[in-house]
Amino acid sequence: MTRKRTRFRFSDFLIILICTTVCAVSLWFFWKDLNTSTVRTDKDSIASITFKYKIAQRRFSDSVVWERLQQDSLLYDADYIRTSDMAQASIFFNDGTKIDLHENTMLQVFFSEKGAEVAVDNGNIDVDTTESENTVAISMENGSVINLSSGSKVTASSNTQSNQNSIQIKAGNAEVKDSSGNSEIIKKGESV
């Protein structure tokens, strides 16, 4: 029994070249889509984000898709931000307020005439208002609110599993209101 030899024709080479080119172009578009962040034209930016380790992700308030952020990506009112394991990021608001996000943190950012507002769902943050003239309102998952005055620094953590918060003032002072409406002024060095 003899086998019939097939000849490699020019048309075969052309088909292989076209398929390889289509695969390469598709991979390039996939990589580009994975590593770009969306810029909105319907809203003004309120802050920018940089990250030190690993990545941070953003979800617009009117979207369900989380996107990977690039360095110095712009943030918009009501955006959700989250960090993964061993990730750290910093948010710089336009008024000078700085927020450092630690690993496994998720929050939502807002901005109004009064200043920055942050709703922490879970995780640890450091807030610095020494460069800002505005106050910062930090809403925790259990309903408590921290009103941080200008020129202050605070470390706040929220744990959704234990439903407990930790607040430590490093500079300045803050008013802490719990979910029942009781308020307390805490000063530098104090914690709740």
Side-chain angles (χ1 to χ4, degrees):
M1 189 190 280
T2 59
R3 285 190 159 174
K4 188 177 179 182
R5 281 186 65 161
T6 15
R7 300 183 91 217
F8 190 71
R9 292 177 277 163
F10 180 73
S11 61
D12 295 336
F13 174 74
L14 204 57
I15 290 173
I16 291 172
L17 182 65
I18 290 171
C19 290
T20 306
T21 304
V22 167
C23 287
V25 169
S26 297
L27 281 173
W28 181 77
F29 278 120
F30 174 74
W31 180 85
K32 187 176 178 186
D33 184 51
L34 186 64
N35 291 305
T36 57
S37 59
T38 308
V39 176
R40 295 185 76 147
T41 56
D42 60 337
K43 289 185 177 183
D44 292 330
S45 67
I46 61 169
S48 65
I49 187 169
T50 61
F51 46 93
K52 301 173 186 174
Y53 304 109
K54 302 241 181 176
I55 61 167
Q57 294 179 318
R58 167 186 54 203
R59 181 173 70 88
F60 295 127
S61 60
D62 56 357
S63 174
V64 294
V65 178
W66 287 95
E67 70 174 344
R68 188 182 233 173
L69 292 171
Q70 301 299 312
Q71 288 287 5
D72 299 317
S73 292
L74 298 177
L75 300 179
Y76 304 93
D77 197 38
D79 281 358
Y80 290 91
I81 309 297
R82 73 178 177 189
T83 55
S84 60
D85 288 334
M86 297 174 42
Q88 288 183 348
S90 295
I91 298 173
F92 298 93
F93 283 89
N94 295 342
D95 71 345
T97 302
K98 178 185 174 191
I99 299 177
D100 291 324
L101 285 76
H102 299 275
E103 66 178 342
N104 298 319
T105 299
M106 183 170 150
L107 55 83
Q108 189 174 18
V109 293
F110 303 95
F111 195 81
S112 66
E113 306 84 38
K114 298 176 187 175
E117 297 176 35
V118 179
V120 181
D121 286 342
N122 192 36
N124 302 325
I125 62 170
D126 295 324
V127 181
D128 183 354
T129 63
T130 55
E131 299 293 322
S132 172
E133 294 180 8
N134 297 325
T135 60
V136 175
I138 305 167
S139 302
M140 304 304 269
E141 180 66 23
N142 69 353
S144 59
V145 177
I146 306 163
N147 291 312
L148 190 62
S149 61
S150 176
S152 301
K153 292 182 183 181
V154 68
T155 297
S157 66
S158 175
N159 188 334
T160 54
Q161 293 172 346
S162 66
N163 199 27
Q164 292 189 349
N165 297 330
S166 171
I167 303 158
Q168 181 181 9
I169 302 297
K170 296 181 177 179
N173 57 42
E175 178 188 16
V176 179
K177 291 182 183 178
D178 61 14
S179 56
S180 60
N182 299 327
S183 67
E184 177 182 353
I185 302 291
I186 55 176
K187 298 183 176 166
K188 179 181 176 180
E190 297 179 344
S191 60
V192 176

